[in-house]
């Protein structure tokens, strides 16, 4: 009975395809095992729906019933796409471009400085070892090391802390890359207290406040946002785990020049609370704002009009 059913299904398939191939030829070339082994499950051109629901056209022509769905591997694009150096490099590209350093970060071609930093990072397996070398590294090299690690090998909290100065940043920049690391709720309060101690003991001109804050792929609490120092001019809050009250940012960070809110899923599919928060943003308070990163985010109706209201020059909105 099984042989008869297979024959009937084969002849029906041949009639639909108007093919004159013999059953022996088809079976010799296109056995079920061979076709399963030859499938390309990782091709980004093939959709998940085609692989999990509709069988690919590769299966046309064999006899017998279709293979069960459990035989077909789930479609993935390199695992977690947002946990790769390539994605982190793209996510950080805007803020790095708007606040450039001495090094340009590429994945394939590294400068001599970056090669040295990579070797140094591989040799420092513990926070204690980083603490030993930190006094030997000038601030601009520590900044390059933190940026390199953020893309290629995100630092643990103890290692990041070992590279930061007593003020809680490196050359005016604080870069925190998750998901295992997040900003402590009182980070800026502690940094402010330590900075005040240095100001009392030394010349104030030797210290500068935080200018650039970059938080990537981690969580950020409301209480932490309320402690952001007003000296911040470049702010990137990218791929945060949970929504934040955006309308509070102009109050805490009135001097922003660049604001990057790209790749936040909660700005792609917005809740009613998020929409209300965006509607309440006082864009006019950001008198110095020049660039807004809004990659892979939904633009609510009227947002762009409010964004440029009362300005001589429109704000550059970076989409993608």
């Amino acid at each position: 009975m099984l042989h008869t059913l297979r024959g009937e299904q084969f002849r029906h398939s041949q009639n639909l395809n108007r093919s004159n191939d013999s059953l022996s030829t088809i079976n010799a070339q296109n056995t079920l095992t061979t076709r399963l082994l030859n499938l390309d499950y990782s091709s980004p051109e093939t959709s998940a729906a085609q692989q999990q629901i509709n069988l690919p056209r590769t299966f046309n022509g064999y006899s017998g019933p279709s293979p069960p769905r459990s035989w077909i591997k789930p479609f993935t694009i390199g695992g977690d796409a947002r946990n790769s150096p390539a994605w982190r490099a793209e996510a950080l590209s805007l803020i790095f471009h708007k606040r450039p350093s001495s090094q340009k970060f590429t994945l394939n071609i590294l400068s001599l400085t970056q090669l040295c930093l990579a070797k140094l990072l591989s040799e420092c397996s513990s926070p204690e070892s980083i603490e030993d070398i930190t006094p030997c590294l000038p601030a601009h090299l520590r900044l390059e090391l933190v940026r390199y690690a953020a893309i290629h090998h995100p630092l643990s909290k103890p290692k990041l802390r070992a590279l930061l100065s007593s003020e809680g940043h490196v050359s005016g920049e604080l870069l925190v890359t998750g998901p295992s690391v997040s900003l402590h709720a009182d980070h800026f309060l502690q940094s402010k207290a330590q900075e005040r101690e240095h100001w009392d003991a030394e010349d104030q001109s030797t210290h500068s406040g935080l200018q650039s804050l970059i938080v990537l792929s981690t969580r950020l609490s409301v209480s932490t946002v309320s402690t952001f120092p007003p000296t911040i001019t470049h702010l990137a809050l990218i791929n945060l785990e949970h929504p934040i009250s955006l309308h509070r940012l102009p109050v805490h960070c009135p001097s922003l020049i660049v604001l990057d809110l790209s790749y936040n899923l909660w700005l792609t599919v917005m809740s009613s609370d998020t929409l209300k928060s965006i509607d309440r943003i006082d864009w006019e308070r950001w008198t110095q704002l020049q660039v807004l990163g809004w990659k892979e985010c939904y633009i609510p109706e009227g947002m762009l009009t409010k964004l440029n209201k009362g300005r001589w020059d429109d704000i550059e909105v970076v989409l993608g």
Side-chain angles (χ1 to χ4, degrees):
M1 291 178 62
L2 181 60
H3 176 75
T4 302
L5 289 174
R6 284 178 172 172
E8 291 178 354
Q9 183 175 3
F10 169 74
R11 288 189 292 273
H12 179 66
S13 174
Q14 295 297 88
N15 291 333
L16 292 178
N17 295 329
R18 297 181 180 179
S19 174
N20 295 323
D21 292 337
S22 64
L23 179 61
S24 59
T25 302
I26 295 295
N27 285 337
Q29 297 178 355
N30 300 313
T31 62
L32 176 60
T33 304
T34 302
R35 288 189 173 275
L36 285 173
L37 292 176
N38 290 336
L39 278 179
D40 183 9
Y41 298 106
S42 61
S43 174
E45 298 177 357
T46 306
S47 67
Q50 288 177 316
Q51 297 229 0
Q52 294 181 356
I53 301 177
N54 300 322
L55 296 178
R57 293 186 60 84
T58 313
F59 280 106
N60 290 343
Y62 60 78
S63 60
S66 302
R69 296 176 186 174
S70 59
W71 287 22
I72 302 177
K73 298 178 182 179
F75 176 76
T76 58
I77 306 179
D80 186 359
R82 295 196 172 193
N83 192 27
S84 65
W87 185 87
R88 288 192 291 266
E90 172 60 27
L92 294 169
S93 60
L94 176 60
I95 194 68
F96 282 0
H97 175 68
K98 296 301 180 180
R99 193 176 188 273
S101 62
S102 60
Q103 303 293 315
K104 292 185 178 180
F105 288 90
T106 59
L107 291 176
N108 300 323
I109 303 177
L110 300 180
S111 66
L112 178 59
T113 299
Q114 292 165 347
L115 289 172
C116 294
L117 292 177
K119 179 64 175 178
L120 189 64
L121 194 61
S122 65
E123 295 292 334
C124 298
S125 57
S126 66
E128 291 75 17
S129 58
I130 292 185
E131 289 179 353
D132 291 338
I133 66 166
T134 295
C136 304
L137 292 176
H140 73 279
L141 285 182
R142 285 190 284 124
L143 174 62
E144 304 300 346
L145 181 57
V146 172
R147 285 191 169 193
Y148 173 87
I151 293 177
H152 297 275
H153 305 285
L155 297 170
S156 64
K157 183 176 290 187
K159 289 184 178 181
L160 177 61
R161 188 184 301 114
L163 286 170
L164 300 180
S165 64
S166 58
E167 293 86 1
H169 56 78
V170 182
S171 292
E173 180 172 297
L174 174 60
L175 172 53
V176 179
T177 305
S180 59
V181 179
S182 61
L183 268 178
H184 197 271
D186 60 351
H187 174 86
F188 297 110
L189 297 178
Q190 293 178 350
S191 300
K192 186 176 181 180
Q194 293 175 349
E195 186 176 2
R196 172 54 58 183
E197 292 178 1
H198 283 279
W199 283 2
D200 292 340
E202 303 176 13
D203 182 6
Q204 297 184 13
S205 62
T206 61
H207 302 279
S208 60
L210 180 67
Q211 300 170 2
S212 177
L213 173 61
I214 307 168
V215 183
L216 174 68
S217 299
T218 187
R219 57 188 180 275
L220 189 64
S221 66
V222 176
S223 58
T224 304
V225 174
S226 64
T227 61
F228 281 180
T231 55
I232 296 177
T233 58
H234 293 66
L235 178 64
L237 306 177
I238 303 172
N239 194 36
L240 299 184
E241 293 181 4
H242 305 292
I244 62 172
S245 301
L246 296 177
H247 64 278
R248 300 183 185 276
L249 289 179
V251 177
H252 302 299
C253 304
S255 304
L256 288 187
I257 298 175
V258 177
L259 172 62
D260 193 356
L261 297 171
S262 300
Y263 303 108
N264 283 301
L265 296 178
W266 45 275
L267 289 177
T268 303
V269 181
M270 296 187 183
S271 66
S272 58
D273 290 339
T274 300
L275 286 171
K276 291 178 182 177
S277 183
I278 293 177
D279 188 59
R280 293 174 58 189
I281 295 177
D282 186 3
W283 297 101
E284 295 184 63
R285 191 182 183 100
W286 278 321
T287 58
Q288 303 178 63
L289 189 63
Q290 300 175 7
V291 179
L292 174 64
W294 203 260
K295 297 180 181 179
E296 295 190 11
C297 298
Y298 169 72
I299 301 178
E301 183 179 358
M303 189 188 86
L304 296 182
T305 302
K306 293 182 179 180
L307 178 66
N308 292 309
K309 183 180 178 181
R311 298 182 186 274
W312 286 102
D313 299 314
D314 288 351
I315 293 175
E316 176 189 356
V317 181
V318 181
L319 305 174

